[in-house]
Amino acid sequence: MKKIYLVLFSALSLTAVKAQNKFNLLVGTYTNTCQSNGIYVYEFDSTNGSFKLKNSSENVISPSYLSVSADNKFVYAVNENGNQSAVSAFGYDSASGKLKFLNSNDALGADPCHLINDDKNVIVANYSGGNIVVFKKKADGSITEVQQLIQHEGKGPNAARQEKAHVHMVMFSPDKKFVLSNDLGLDKVFIYKYNPDSKNEMLTLKGSVDVKPASGPRHLTFSKDGKFVYLVQELDGTLTTFSYDKTGNLKVIAETSILPKGFTGGTGAAAIKISPDGNFLYVSDRVDANAISVYKILKDGKIELVEQQSTLGKGPRDFAIDPTGNYLLVGHQYTNDIVIFKRNKTTGKIEDTGKRIELCSPVGLVFTKI
C-alpha cells in the first residue's frame, strides 16, 4: 500500500512541477502597421523555451501595453490610437487563453502607453495627453468612465521631444501606498499618495524629483527589497539609481549610461526589468543600439555592468523574464518577432536559443500563471 501511495504522490508531484513550469505569455501589439488581432496568448514552457499559440483577441485596436489582475481573471489594455485612444477591459480564462471583451472607455488623453491595476482601480499614463487617468473597477471586472484626471504641465530643454508633458509610466510602490509616475517631457518623477477607496481623488501629489535635464525619464522598477528604484531615461540612455523609503521619498544616489563607450548612433532606451531572484537588472535600448544591458545588483543597491548583448532585431520596445528566471523574451516592434534568450541565473548573461515567435509589432509582454 505504501508503494502505491508513493507512486501516486510522485506522479502528483511531477504534475505539479510540470504545471509550475508552464505559463501564459500575453503579448500586446500595434495593429496599424501589419495584420494583428491585438492581444495574443501563448503557452510558454520554461523548461525548454518552447511555446504554442493558445488564443487571441479579435479586432482590438493597438492594445500596446497590458496589465493583468491579481486574481488572473481580467486583462486591461491601453488602446493607443491618437486622439481616439481608449482603455479596455477583458475577461481572461488562463486555461484556454481566451479573452472576452467587457467594455472600453475614452482614455481622455492621447496615446496611453502604460497602465497598472489593483482590485479597485485601473491607473493609466497618457503619453501625448501628458496626464494620468484613473478608472474604477466594477464587480464584473469592467471599468467605469474616468473618475480622476491629473494633468501635468510644463516642458523640457529638448524642443523636439519635450515640448510638453509626456507621462510615460505609472507604477505602484511595493506596499501600494504610493504611485510613481515618470514624465519624459518634464524630466521628473512624480510621487502620488494612493487612496484606493476614494471616489475621485485616488491620487494626491506628494512631491516630485528632478532628473538630468533633457534625459527623458521613461520606465522604472523597484529592487526586490523595495529600498532602491532604477530609472532609465529614453532620450540619452541615462540609468539612475534612487534610494527609496516607505514614506515615499526618492533620492538620487548614482547615475550611469547604458550606451557603450564611443557609441554615436541614435538611442531610445525602453524597458527595464529585474530578474525574479532580484540579483540582476536588464535594460533595453532601441533606435540604432538594439541591445540589452545586463547589470549585477550589489547588496548596497549599486549596479555593475555584466554585458551588453544585441537583441537580434529592431525596436526592442519591451521584454519579459519568465517567472522561473530561465528565459528572457524580447519583443521587436519593427522586425515583428519575439526573440527567446536562455538566461544564466548565476551570471545573468543571456544567450540566443534560435527560437522565435513571429507576430506583428509586439510591444508589451506579460507572463501569467495558467
Side-chain angles (χ1 to χ4, degrees):
M1 190 61 106
K2 274 187 178 178
K3 282 184 179 177
I4 293 169
Y5 280 129
L6 280 170
V7 169
L8 282 170
F9 181 73
S10 299
L12 286 168
S13 298
L14 194 61
T15 304
V17 168
K18 279 184 179 176
Q20 286 168 7
N21 286 324
K22 288 187 177 180
F23 303 92
N24 281 348
L25 171 69
L26 277 65
V27 185
T29 67
Y30 281 135
T31 60
N32 56 356
T33 56
C34 42
Q35 175 53 45
S36 171
N37 294 337
I39 304 170
Y40 289 79
V41 183
Y42 296 86
E43 184 178 283
F44 183 79
D45 190 332
S46 65
T47 57
N48 55 24
S50 64
F51 59 89
K52 64 179 180 183
L53 179 64
K54 291 175 80 167
N55 232 312
S56 71
S57 63
E58 294 177 11
N59 303 316
V60 178
I61 296 172
S62 292
S64 55
Y65 279 85
L66 312 172
S67 182
V68 182
S69 63
D71 63 8
N72 213 27
K73 291 180 179 178
F74 303 100
V75 173
Y76 300 92
V78 298
N79 302 110
E80 200 172 332
N81 190 30
N83 291 323
Q84 281 76 52
S85 292
V87 176
S88 298
F90 300 84
Y92 171 52
D93 178 65
S94 60
S96 66
K98 191 172 182 181
L99 294 155
K100 180 188 176 185
F101 176 74
L102 297 176
N103 78 327
S104 178
N105 274 312
D106 194 324
L108 297 187
D111 303 318
C113 60
H114 198 265
L115 76 169
I116 53 177
N117 83 93
D118 64 1
D119 59 348
K120 301 283 176 66
N121 305 296
V122 177
I123 306 171
V124 180
N126 287 320
Y127 178 79
S128 298
N131 59 35
I132 300 169
V133 290
V134 187
F135 302 83
K136 283 287 179 188
K137 279 189 182 181
K138 296 180 183 177
D140 65 353
S142 63
I143 55 173
T144 64
E145 293 181 342
V146 168
Q147 300 300 299
Q148 183 181 19
L149 185 152
I150 298 170
Q151 186 66 48
H152 288 184
E153 301 288 353
K155 59 184 179 178
N158 184 328
R161 294 292 309 276
Q162 297 182 310
E163 79 290 359
K164 61 176 182 176
H166 287 300
V167 181
H168 221 314
M169 187 186 210
V170 280
M171 171 73 82
F172 286 120
S173 61
D175 59 10
K176 298 278 183 78
K177 289 183 178 178
F178 298 94
V179 169
L180 277 61
S181 179
N182 311 325
D183 196 310
L184 179 145
L186 307 183
D187 293 316
K188 289 178 182 288
V189 179
F190 290 84
I191 303 104
Y192 291 93
K193 289 180 182 175
Y194 181 48
N195 318 295
D197 296 314
S198 173
K199 287 186 178 179
N200 51 23
E201 289 190 354
M202 287 68 76
L203 300 177
T204 54
L205 184 63
K206 179 190 184 298
S208 64
V209 177
D210 293 322
V211 294
K212 194 166 71 170
S215 62
R218 180 182 170 92
H219 280 193
L220 58 76
T221 188
F222 280 85
S223 61
K224 195 169 184 182
D225 63 8
K227 293 179 180 177
F228 302 95
V229 168
Y230 303 96
L231 168 75
V232 66
Q233 283 104 290
E234 178 175 336
L235 301 183
D236 70 353
T238 297
L239 176 56
T240 303
T241 304
F242 299 88
S243 61
Y244 178 81
D245 65 34
K246 288 185 178 180
T247 65
N249 288 322
L250 282 175
K251 183 182 177 183
V252 176
I253 58 171
E255 213 171 61
T256 186
S257 174
I258 65 171
L259 303 179
K261 284 183 180 178
F263 180 81
T264 55
T267 183
I272 182 166
K273 308 283 175 76
I274 285 180
S275 58
D277 60 13
N279 293 334
F280 294 93
L281 180 72
Y282 296 80
V283 189
S284 67
D285 193 7
R286 302 166 292 166
V287 188
D288 294 327
N290 295 302
I292 279 193
S293 298
V294 183
Y295 297 88
K296 182 173 176 56
I297 299 175
L298 308 178
K299 286 182 179 178
D300 59 1
K302 291 178 182 174
I303 55 173
E304 209 172 68
L305 182 65
V306 173
E307 68 169 353
Q308 290 174 315
Q309 275 274 13
S310 168
T311 61
L312 305 174
K314 187 162 176 56
R317 187 71 170 266
D318 195 22
F319 61 89
I321 302 168
D322 85 79
T324 69
N326 288 337
Y327 290 90
L328 185 148
L329 282 65
V330 183
H332 290 109
Q333 180 183 348
Y334 301 117
T335 40
N336 301 317
D337 65 5
I338 296 172
V339 174
I340 300 174
F341 289 91
K342 184 80 173 76
R343 191 178 156 269
N344 186 311
K345 292 183 184 179
T346 305
T347 65
K349 292 182 177 182
I350 57 173
E351 183 181 355
D352 181 25
T353 62
K355 295 183 172 75
R356 305 285 187 271
I357 302 174
E358 307 285 343
L359 81 167
C360 167
S361 201
V363 182
L365 280 66
V366 182
F367 278 103
T368 76
K369 293 177 182 176
I370 294 178

